[in-house]
Coordinates of all heavy atoms in Angstrom, one line a residue:
M27 N 115.0 100.2 143.9 CA 114.3 99.1 144.6 C 115.3 97.9 144.6 O 115.8 97.4 143.6 CB 113.1 98.7 143.7 CG 112.2 97.7 144.3 SD 111.0 97.1 143.1 CE 109.9 98.6 143.2
N28 N 115.5 97.3 145.7 CA 116.3 96.0 145.6 C 115.5 94.9 145.4 O 114.2 94.8 145.4 CB 117.1 95.9 147.0 CG 116.1 95.8 148.2 OD1 115.1 95.0 148.1 ND2 116.5 96.3 149.3
E29 N 116.1 93.7 145.2 CA 115.5 92.5 144.8 C 114.4 92.1 145.9 O 113.3 91.6 145.4 CB 116.5 91.4 144.5 CG 115.9 90.3 143.8 CD 117.0 89.3 143.3 OE1 118.2 89.8 143.0 OE2 116.8 88.1 143.3
K30 N 114.7 92.2 147.2 CA 113.7 91.8 148.1 C 112.4 92.6 148.1 O 111.3 92.0 148.1 CB 114.4 92.0 149.5 CG 113.8 91.2 150.6 CD 114.6 91.5 151.9 CE 113.7 91.0 153.1 NZ 114.2 91.6 154.4
D31 N 112.5 93.9 147.8 CA 111.3 94.7 147.6 C 110.5 94.3 146.4 O 109.3 94.3 146.4 CB 111.7 96.2 147.5 CG 112.1 96.8 148.9 OD1 111.8 96.1 149.9 OD2 112.8 97.8 149.0
H32 N 111.3 94.0 145.4 CA 110.6 93.6 144.2 C 109.7 92.3 144.4 O 108.5 92.3 144.0 CB 111.6 93.3 143.1 CG 111.1 92.7 141.8 ND1 110.3 93.3 140.9 CD2 111.0 91.3 141.4 CE1 109.9 92.5 140.1 NE2 110.4 91.3 140.4
W33 N 110.3 91.4 145.0 CA 109.5 90.2 145.4 C 108.3 90.4 146.3 O 107.2 89.8 146.2 CB 110.3 89.1 145.9 CG 111.2 88.5 144.9 CD1 112.5 88.6 144.6 CD2 110.6 87.7 143.7 NE1 112.8 88.0 143.4 CE2 111.7 87.5 142.8 CE3 109.4 87.3 143.3 CZ2 111.5 86.7 141.6 CZ3 109.1 86.7 142.1 CH2 110.3 86.3 141.3
K34 N 108.5 91.3 147.2 CA 107.4 91.8 148.0 C 106.3 92.3 147.1 O 105.0 92.0 147.3 CB 107.8 92.9 148.9 CG 107.6 92.4 150.4 CD 107.9 93.7 151.4 CE 109.3 93.6 151.9 NZ 109.8 94.8 152.6
D35 N 106.5 93.1 146.1 CA 105.5 93.6 145.2 C 104.9 92.6 144.5 O 103.6 92.4 144.1 CB 106.1 94.7 144.3 CG 106.3 96.1 145.0 OD1 105.8 96.2 146.1 OD2 107.0 97.0 144.3
V36 N 105.7 91.6 144.0 CA 105.2 90.5 143.2 C 104.3 89.6 144.1 O 103.0 89.3 143.7 CB 106.2 89.4 142.8 CG1 105.7 88.1 142.2 CG2 107.2 90.0 141.7
E37 N 104.6 89.5 145.4 CA 103.5 88.8 146.4 C 102.3 89.5 146.5 O 101.2 89.0 146.5 CB 104.3 88.6 147.7 CG 105.2 87.4 147.8 CD 104.6 86.1 147.3 OE1 103.4 85.8 147.7 OE2 105.2 85.4 146.6
R38 N 102.5 90.9 146.6 CA 101.2 91.7 146.8 C 100.4 91.6 145.6 O 99.1 91.5 145.8 CB 101.7 93.2 147.1 CG 100.6 94.0 147.8 CD 101.2 95.3 148.2 NE 102.4 95.1 149.0 CZ 103.5 96.0 149.0 NH1 103.5 97.0 148.1 NH2 104.5 95.9 149.8
G39 N 101.0 91.6 144.4 CA 100.1 91.5 143.2 C 99.4 90.2 143.1 O 98.3 90.2 142.7
R40 N 100.1 89.1 143.6 CA 99.4 87.8 143.6 C 98.2 87.8 144.6 O 97.2 87.2 144.2 CB 100.4 86.7 144.0 CG 101.3 86.3 142.9 CD 102.0 85.0 143.3 NE 103.2 84.7 142.5 CZ 104.3 84.5 142.8 NH1 104.6 84.4 144.1 NH2 105.3 84.2 141.9
E41 N 98.4 88.4 145.7 CA 97.3 88.5 146.7 C 96.2 89.3 146.1 O 95.0 88.7 146.2 CB 97.8 89.2 147.9 CG 97.7 88.6 149.2 CD 98.5 89.3 150.3 OE1 98.0 90.3 150.7 OE2 99.5 88.7 150.8
E42 N 96.4 90.4 145.4 CA 95.2 91.2 144.8 C 94.6 90.3 143.8 O 93.4 90.3 143.6 CB 95.8 92.4 144.2 CG 96.0 93.5 145.2 CD 96.8 94.7 144.7 OE1 96.9 94.7 143.5 OE2 97.3 95.4 145.5
D43 N 95.4 89.6 143.0 CA 94.7 88.7 142.0 C 93.8 87.6 142.5 O 92.7 87.4 142.2 CB 95.8 87.9 141.1 CG 96.3 88.9 140.0 OD1 95.8 90.0 139.8 OD2 97.3 88.5 139.3
Y44 N 94.3 87.2 143.7 CA 93.6 86.0 144.4 C 92.3 86.6 144.9 O 91.2 86.0 144.8 CB 94.5 85.6 145.6 CG 93.7 84.6 146.5 CD1 93.5 83.3 146.1 CD2 93.1 85.1 147.7 CE1 92.9 82.4 146.9 CE2 92.4 84.2 148.6 CZ 92.3 82.9 148.1 OH 91.6 82.1 148.9
F45 N 92.3 87.8 145.5 CA 91.1 88.3 146.1 C 90.0 88.7 144.9 O 88.9 88.6 144.9 CB 91.3 89.5 147.0 CG 91.8 89.2 148.4 CD1 93.1 89.4 148.8 CD2 90.9 88.4 149.1 CE1 93.5 88.9 149.9 CE2 91.4 88.0 150.4 CZ 92.7 88.2 150.8
L46 N 90.7 89.2 143.9 CA 89.8 89.6 142.7 C 89.2 88.3 142.2 O 87.9 88.3 141.8 CB 90.7 90.2 141.6 CG 90.8 91.7 141.6 CD1 91.8 92.2 140.6 CD2 89.4 92.4 141.4
K47 N 90.0 87.3 142.0 CA 89.3 85.9 141.6 C 88.3 85.5 142.5 O 87.2 85.1 142.0 CB 90.6 85.0 141.6 CG 90.1 83.7 140.8 CD 91.3 82.8 140.6 CE 91.0 81.5 140.2 NZ 90.7 80.6 141.3
K48 N 88.5 85.6 143.8 CA 87.5 85.1 144.8 C 86.2 86.0 144.6 O 85.1 85.5 144.7 CB 88.1 85.3 146.2 CG 88.9 84.1 146.6 CD 88.1 82.9 146.9 CE 89.0 81.6 146.8 NZ 88.3 80.5 146.6
H49 N 86.4 87.3 144.5 CA 85.4 88.2 144.4 C 84.5 87.9 143.1 O 83.3 87.9 143.1 CB 85.9 89.6 144.4 CG 84.7 90.6 144.4 ND1 83.9 90.7 145.5 CD2 84.3 91.5 143.6 CE1 83.0 91.6 145.2 NE2 83.2 92.2 144.1
R50 N 85.2 87.6 142.1 CA 84.6 87.2 140.8 C 83.8 86.0 140.9 O 82.6 86.0 140.4 CB 85.6 87.2 139.7 CG 85.2 87.6 138.3 CD 86.3 87.5 137.3 NE 87.4 88.5 137.7 CZ 88.7 88.3 137.3 NH1 89.0 87.2 136.7 NH2 89.5 89.1 137.7
E51 N 84.3 85.0 141.5 CA 83.6 83.8 141.8 C 82.3 84.0 142.6 O 81.3 83.5 142.3 CB 84.5 82.8 142.6 CG 85.5 82.1 141.6 CD 86.5 81.3 142.4 OE1 86.4 81.3 143.7 OE2 87.6 80.9 141.8
W52 N 82.5 84.9 143.6 CA 81.4 85.3 144.4 C 80.3 86.0 143.7 O 79.1 85.7 143.7 CB 81.9 86.0 145.6 CG 80.7 86.7 146.4 CD1 80.1 86.1 147.4 CD2 80.2 88.0 146.3 NE1 79.2 86.9 147.9 CE2 79.2 88.0 147.3 CE3 80.3 89.0 145.5 CZ2 78.3 89.2 147.6 CZ3 79.6 90.2 145.7 CH2 78.6 90.3 146.7
L53 N 80.7 86.9 142.7 CA 79.7 87.6 141.9 C 78.9 86.5 141.0 O 77.8 86.7 140.8 CB 80.4 88.7 141.1 CG 80.6 90.0 141.7 CD1 81.2 90.9 140.6 CD2 79.3 90.6 142.2
E54 N 79.7 85.6 140.4 CA 79.2 84.6 139.5 C 78.1 83.8 140.3 O 77.0 83.5 139.8 CB 80.3 83.6 139.0 CG 81.1 84.3 137.8 CD 80.3 84.8 136.7 OE1 79.3 84.2 136.3 OE2 80.6 85.9 136.2
K55 N 78.4 83.6 141.5 CA 77.5 82.8 142.3 C 76.2 83.5 142.5 O 75.1 83.1 142.4 CB 78.3 82.4 143.7 CG 77.4 81.5 144.5 CD 78.4 80.9 145.7 CE 77.5 80.4 146.8 NZ 77.1 81.5 147.8
K56 N 76.5 84.9 142.9 CA 75.3 85.7 143.1 C 74.5 85.8 141.9 O 73.3 85.8 142.1 CB 75.8 87.1 143.7 CG 76.3 87.1 145.0 CD 75.2 87.2 146.0 CE 75.7 86.8 147.3 NZ 74.7 86.3 148.3
R57 N 75.1 85.8 140.8 CA 74.4 86.1 139.5 C 73.5 84.8 139.2 O 72.4 84.9 138.7 CB 75.4 86.2 138.4 CG 75.8 87.6 138.1 CD 76.5 87.8 136.8 NE 77.3 89.0 136.9 CZ 78.6 89.2 136.6 NH1 79.2 88.2 136.4 NH2 79.1 90.4 136.8
S58 N 73.9 83.7 139.7 CA 73.2 82.5 139.4 C 72.0 82.2 140.4 O 71.2 81.4 140.2 CB 74.2 81.3 139.3 OG 74.8 81.1 140.6
E59 N 72.1 83.1 141.6 CA 71.1 82.9 142.5 C 69.9 83.7 142.2 O 69.9 84.6 141.3 CB 71.7 83.3 143.9 CG 72.6 82.4 144.5 CD 73.3 83.0 145.8 OE1 72.9 84.1 146.2 OE2 74.2 82.3 146.3
K60 N 68.8 83.4 142.9 CA 67.6 84.2 142.7 C 67.8 85.6 143.2 O 68.4 85.9 144.1 CB 66.5 83.5 143.5 CG 65.1 84.0 143.2 CD 64.1 83.2 144.2 CE 62.8 84.2 144.3 NZ 62.1 83.9 145.5
G61 N 67.2 86.5 142.5 CA 67.4 87.9 142.8 C 68.1 88.7 141.8 O 68.3 89.9 142.0
I62 N 68.6 88.0 140.9 CA 69.5 88.7 139.9 C 68.7 89.6 139.1 O 69.3 90.6 138.4 CB 70.2 87.6 139.0 CG1 71.5 88.3 138.3 CG2 69.4 87.0 138.1 CD1 72.6 88.9 139.1
S63 N 67.4 89.4 139.0 CA 66.5 90.3 138.2 C 66.5 91.8 138.8 O 66.2 92.8 138.1 CB 65.2 89.8 138.2 OG 64.6 89.6 139.5
E64 N 67.0 91.9 140.0 CA 67.1 93.2 140.7 C 68.2 94.0 140.0 O 68.2 95.1 140.2 CB 67.4 93.1 142.2 CG 66.5 92.5 143.1 CD 66.9 92.4 144.4 OE1 67.9 93.0 144.8 OE2 66.5 91.3 145.1
V65 N 69.1 93.3 139.4 CA 70.3 94.0 138.8 C 70.1 94.7 137.5 O 69.6 94.1 136.6 CB 71.5 92.9 138.7 CG1 72.7 93.7 138.0 CG2 71.8 92.3 140.1
T66 N 70.4 95.9 137.5 CA 70.3 96.7 136.2 C 71.7 97.2 136.0 O 72.5 97.5 136.9 CB 69.3 97.9 136.4 OG1 69.8 98.7 137.5 CG2 67.9 97.4 136.4
A67 N 72.2 97.3 134.7 CA 73.4 97.8 134.5 C 73.5 98.9 133.5 O 72.6 99.0 132.6 CB 74.3 96.7 133.9
S68 N 74.4 99.8 133.7 CA 74.5 101.0 132.6 C 76.0 101.3 132.7 O 76.7 101.3 133.7 CB 73.5 102.1 133.2 OG 73.9 102.5 134.3
H69 N 76.3 101.9 131.6 CA 77.8 102.4 131.4 C 78.0 103.6 132.2 O 77.1 104.5 132.4 CB 78.0 102.6 129.9 CG 78.4 101.5 129.2 ND1 79.7 100.9 129.3 CD2 77.6 100.7 128.2 CE1 79.6 99.7 128.5 NE2 78.5 99.6 127.9
T70 N 79.3 103.8 132.6 CA 79.6 104.9 133.4 C 80.9 105.5 132.7 O 81.4 105.0 131.7 CB 80.2 104.6 134.8 OG1 81.4 103.9 134.7 CG2 79.1 103.7 135.6
A71 N 81.2 106.8 133.1 CA 82.3 107.4 132.5 C 83.7 106.9 133.2 O 84.7 107.3 132.7 CB 82.2 108.9 132.6
L72 N 83.5 106.0 134.2 CA 84.6 105.7 134.8 C 85.4 104.5 134.0 O 84.8 103.7 133.4 CB 84.3 105.0 136.2 CG 83.7 106.0 137.2 CD1 83.1 105.2 138.4 CD2 84.9 106.9 137.6
A73 N 86.7 104.5 134.1 CA 87.5 103.6 133.4 C 88.0 102.6 134.4 O 88.2 102.9 135.5 CB 88.7 104.1 132.7
C74 N 88.0 101.3 134.0 CA 88.5 100.2 134.8 C 90.0 100.4 135.2 O 90.7 100.7 134.4 CB 88.4 98.9 134.1 SG 89.0 97.4 135.0
P75 N 90.3 100.4 136.6 CA 91.6 100.6 137.0 C 92.5 99.6 136.6 O 93.8 99.7 136.5 CB 91.5 100.6 138.6 CG 90.2 100.5 139.0 CD 89.4 100.1 137.6
R76 N 92.1 98.4 136.1 CA 92.8 97.3 135.7 C 93.1 97.2 134.2 O 94.2 97.0 133.8 CB 92.2 96.1 136.1 CG 93.0 94.8 136.1 CD 92.2 93.7 136.5 NE 93.0 92.6 137.2 CZ 92.6 91.4 137.4 NH1 91.3 91.1 137.0 NH2 93.3 90.6 138.0
C77 N 92.1 97.5 133.4 CA 92.3 97.4 131.9 C 91.9 98.6 131.2 O 91.9 98.6 130.0 CB 91.5 96.0 131.5 SG 89.8 96.2 131.5
S78 N 91.4 99.7 131.9 CA 91.0 100.9 131.3 C 89.7 100.9 130.5 O 89.4 101.8 129.8 CB 92.1 101.5 130.5 OG 93.3 101.6 131.3
K79 N 89.0 99.8 130.4 CA 87.7 99.8 129.7 C 86.7 100.4 130.5 O 86.9 100.5 131.7 CB 87.3 98.4 129.3 CG 88.3 97.6 128.4 CD 88.2 98.1 127.0 CE 88.8 97.1 126.1 NZ 90.3 97.1 126.3
P80 N 85.6 100.9 129.8 CA 84.5 101.6 130.7 C 83.8 100.7 131.7 O 83.6 99.5 131.3 CB 83.6 102.1 129.6 CG 84.1 101.9 128.3 CD 85.3 100.9 128.5
L81 N 83.7 101.2 132.8 CA 83.0 100.3 133.9 C 81.4 100.4 133.8 O 80.9 101.4 133.2 CB 83.4 100.7 135.2 CG 84.8 100.6 135.8 CD1 85.1 101.3 137.1 CD2 85.1 99.0 135.8
M82 N 80.8 99.3 134.2 CA 79.4 99.4 134.2 C 79.0 99.5 135.7 O 79.7 99.1 136.6 CB 78.7 98.0 133.8 CG 79.2 97.5 132.5 SD 78.3 98.4 131.2 CE 76.6 97.7 131.2
V83 N 77.9 100.3 135.9 CA 77.4 100.3 137.3 C 76.2 99.5 137.5 O 75.3 99.5 136.6 CB 77.3 101.8 137.7 CG1 76.2 102.5 136.9 CG2 77.0 101.9 139.1
R84 N 76.2 98.7 138.6 CA 75.0 97.8 138.7 C 74.5 98.2 140.2 O 75.3 98.5 141.0 CB 75.5 96.4 138.7 CG 75.8 96.0 137.2 CD 76.1 94.5 137.2 NE 75.9 93.9 135.9 CZ 76.9 94.0 134.9 NH1 78.0 94.6 135.1 NH2 76.6 93.5 133.9
T85 N 73.3 98.0 140.4 CA 72.7 98.0 141.7 C 72.4 96.6 142.1 O 71.5 95.9 141.4 CB 71.6 99.0 141.8 OG1 72.0 100.2 141.3 CG2 71.1 99.2 143.2
L86 N 73.0 96.2 143.1 CA 72.7 94.8 143.6 C 72.2 94.9 145.1 O 73.1 95.2 145.9 CB 74.0 94.0 143.5 CG 73.9 92.4 143.9 CD1 72.9 91.7 142.9 CD2 75.3 91.8 143.6
K87 N 71.0 94.5 145.3 CA 70.5 94.6 146.7 C 70.8 96.0 147.3 O 71.4 96.2 148.5 CB 71.0 93.6 147.6 CG 70.6 92.2 147.0 CD 71.0 91.1 148.0 CE 70.5 89.7 147.5 NZ 71.0 88.6 148.2
Q88 N 70.5 97.0 146.6 CA 70.5 98.4 147.0 C 72.0 98.9 147.1 O 72.2 100.0 147.6 CB 69.8 98.8 148.4 CG 68.3 98.8 148.2 CD 67.6 97.5 148.7 OE1 68.0 97.0 149.8 NE2 66.7 97.0 148.0
Q89 N 72.9 98.1 146.8 CA 74.4 98.5 146.8 C 74.8 98.7 145.5 O 74.5 98.0 144.5 CB 75.2 97.4 147.4 CG 74.8 97.0 148.9 CD 74.8 98.1 149.9 OE1 75.7 98.9 149.8 NE2 73.7 98.1 150.7
T90 N 75.7 99.8 145.3 CA 76.2 100.1 143.9 C 77.5 99.4 143.8 O 78.5 99.4 144.6 CB 76.6 101.7 143.9 OG1 75.3 102.3 144.1 CG2 77.1 102.0 142.5
V91 N 77.7 98.7 142.6 CA 78.9 97.9 142.3 C 79.3 98.2 140.9 O 78.4 98.3 140.0 CB 78.5 96.4 142.4 CG1 79.8 95.5 142.1 CG2 78.0 95.9 143.7
H92 N 80.5 98.6 140.7 CA 81.1 98.9 139.5 C 81.7 97.6 138.9 O 82.6 97.1 139.6 CB 82.1 100.0 139.4 CG 81.5 101.3 139.7 ND1 81.1 101.8 140.9 CD2 81.1 102.3 138.8 CE1 80.6 103.1 140.8 NE2 80.5 103.3 139.5
T93 N 81.3 97.2 137.7 CA 82.0 96.0 137.2 C 82.6 96.2 135.9 O 82.1 97.1 135.1 CB 80.9 94.9 137.1 OG1 79.8 95.3 136.3 CG2 80.3 94.5 138.4
C94 N 83.5 95.5 135.5 CA 84.1 95.6 134.2 C 83.8 94.3 133.3 O 84.2 93.1 133.8 CB 85.6 95.7 134.4 SG 86.5 95.8 132.7
D95 N 83.1 94.4 132.3 CA 82.7 93.4 131.5 C 84.0 92.8 130.6 O 84.0 91.6 130.2 CB 81.6 93.7 130.5 CG 80.3 93.8 131.2 OD1 80.3 93.4 132.4 OD2 79.4 94.5 130.6
A96 N 85.0 93.7 130.5 CA 86.2 93.3 129.8 C 87.1 92.3 130.5 O 87.5 91.2 130.0 CB 86.9 94.4 129.3
C97 N 87.4 92.7 131.8 CA 88.4 91.8 132.5 C 87.6 91.0 133.6 O 88.2 90.2 134.3 CB 89.5 92.6 133.0 SG 89.1 93.7 134.4
G98 N 86.4 91.4 133.9 CA 85.6 90.7 134.9 C 85.9 91.2 136.3 O 85.5 90.6 137.3
G99 N 86.4 92.3 136.4 CA 86.8 92.9 137.8 C 85.5 93.6 138.2 O 84.6 93.8 137.5
A100 N 85.5 93.7 139.6 CA 84.5 94.4 140.3 C 84.9 95.4 141.3 O 85.9 95.0 142.0 CB 83.4 93.3 140.9
W101 N 84.3 96.4 141.3 CA 84.9 97.5 142.3 C 83.8 98.0 143.1 O 82.8 98.4 142.4 CB 85.5 98.6 141.5 CG 86.4 98.2 140.3 CD1 86.0 97.9 139.0 CD2 87.7 97.6 140.5 NE1 87.1 97.4 138.3 CE2 88.0 97.1 139.2 CE3 88.7 97.5 141.5 CZ2 89.3 96.6 138.9 CZ3 89.8 96.9 141.2 CH2 90.2 96.4 140.1
L102 N 83.9 98.0 144.4 CA 82.8 98.4 145.3 C 83.3 99.1 146.6 O 84.5 98.7 146.9 CB 81.8 97.4 145.5 CG 82.1 96.2 146.2 CD1 80.8 95.4 146.5 CD2 83.1 95.4 145.6
E103 N 82.6 99.8 147.3 CA 83.0 100.4 148.5 C 83.0 99.3 149.6 O 82.2 98.4 149.4 CB 82.2 101.6 148.8 CG 82.5 102.8 147.9 CD 81.6 104.0 148.3 OE1 81.0 104.0 149.3 OE2 81.5 104.8 147.3
A104 N 83.8 99.6 150.5 CA 84.0 98.6 151.6 C 82.5 98.3 152.2 O 82.2 97.2 152.6 CB 84.9 99.0 152.6
N105 N 81.8 99.4 152.4 CA 80.5 99.3 153.1 C 79.5 98.4 152.2 O 78.8 97.7 152.7 CB 79.9 100.6 153.4 CG 80.5 101.3 154.5 OD1 81.2 100.7 155.3 ND2 80.3 102.6 154.6
A106 N 79.6 98.6 150.9 CA 78.8 97.9 149.9 C 79.2 96.3 150.1 O 78.4 95.5 150.0 CB 78.9 98.4 148.6
L107 N 80.4 96.1 150.1 CA 81.0 94.7 150.2 C 80.4 94.1 151.5 O 80.0 93.0 151.4 CB 82.5 94.8 150.1 CG 83.2 93.4 150.2 CD1 82.8 92.5 149.1 CD2 84.8 93.4 150.3
K108 N 80.5 94.8 152.5 CA 80.1 94.1 153.8 C 78.6 94.0 153.8 O 78.2 92.9 154.2 CB 80.4 95.3 154.9 CG 81.8 95.2 155.4 CD 82.1 96.2 156.6 CE 83.5 96.3 156.9 NZ 83.8 97.4 157.8
A109 N 77.9 94.9 153.2 CA 76.4 94.7 153.1 C 76.0 93.4 152.2 O 75.2 92.7 152.6 CB 75.7 95.9 152.6
L110 N 76.8 93.4 151.1 CA 76.4 92.3 150.2 C 76.9 90.9 150.8 O 76.3 89.9 150.5 CB 77.0 92.5 148.8 CG 76.4 93.7 148.1 CD1 77.3 94.0 146.8 CD2 75.1 93.3 147.7
A111 N 78.0 90.9 151.4 CA 78.5 89.7 152.1 C 77.7 89.3 153.3 O 78.0 88.3 153.9 CB 80.0 89.8 152.3
G112 N 76.9 90.3 153.8 CA 76.1 90.0 155.0 C 77.0 90.0 156.3 O 76.7 89.4 157.2
L113 N 78.0 91.0 156.3 CA 78.8 91.1 157.5 C 78.3 92.3 158.4 O 77.7 93.1 157.9 CB 80.3 91.5 157.0 CG 80.9 90.4 156.1 CD1 82.3 90.9 155.7 CD2 81.2 89.1 156.9
Ligands
LIG7 ZN1 88.8 95.8 133.5

């Protein structure tokens, strides 16, 4: 890997962090909104891809969302994201 490629990877990492941060803010906003009582959480056998802690599975407006209480990450399918974002 040359230096140029290395920086490309660094940029990509920053982009991912940015989107994760945005997504987390969005989840926090959703949590504070009415309707959070619909959310139930349970542990899954899945490990967080980011920090390897067990993920929680939540159902939010009929969509399945995997969240990590350890690092605050959230993992969901593109269709679920679209549905939740109202796209
Ligand atoms: Zn995590």
Side-chain angles (χ1 to χ4, degrees):
M27 183 190 289
N28 64 37
E29 201 170 317
K30 207 176 156 200
D31 284 343
H32 170 74
W33 283 110
K34 237 185 262 172
D35 281 351
V36 169
E37 280 304 315
R38 204 171 300 143
R40 277 195 200 129
E41 234 168 72
E42 280 168 17
D43 278 351
Y44 173 78
F45 283 113
L46 271 175
K47 188 170 169 278
K48 280 286 159 202
H49 186 64
R50 212 173 299 152
E51 285 170 4
W52 174 82
L53 272 183
E54 285 303 319
K55 190 168 161 273
K56 285 286 163 196
R57 272 185 199 134
S58 64
E59 284 172 8
K60 195 183 154 200
I62 197 67
S63 56
E64 292 172 30
V65 176
T66 53
S68 56
H69 276 287
T70 69
L72 294 170
C74 176
R76 197 184 209 189
C77 71
S78 303
K79 296 284 192 298
L81 288 173
M82 301 288 283
V83 63
R84 290 182 160 85
T85 305
L86 183 61
K87 296 185 178 173
Q88 285 104 46
Q89 303 300 321
T90 302
V91 182
H92 288 86
T93 58
C94 177
D95 289 346
C97 74
W101 317 95
L102 67 171
E103 289 179 17
N105 285 342
L107 177 61
K108 281 182 186 171
L110 290 170
L113 299 175

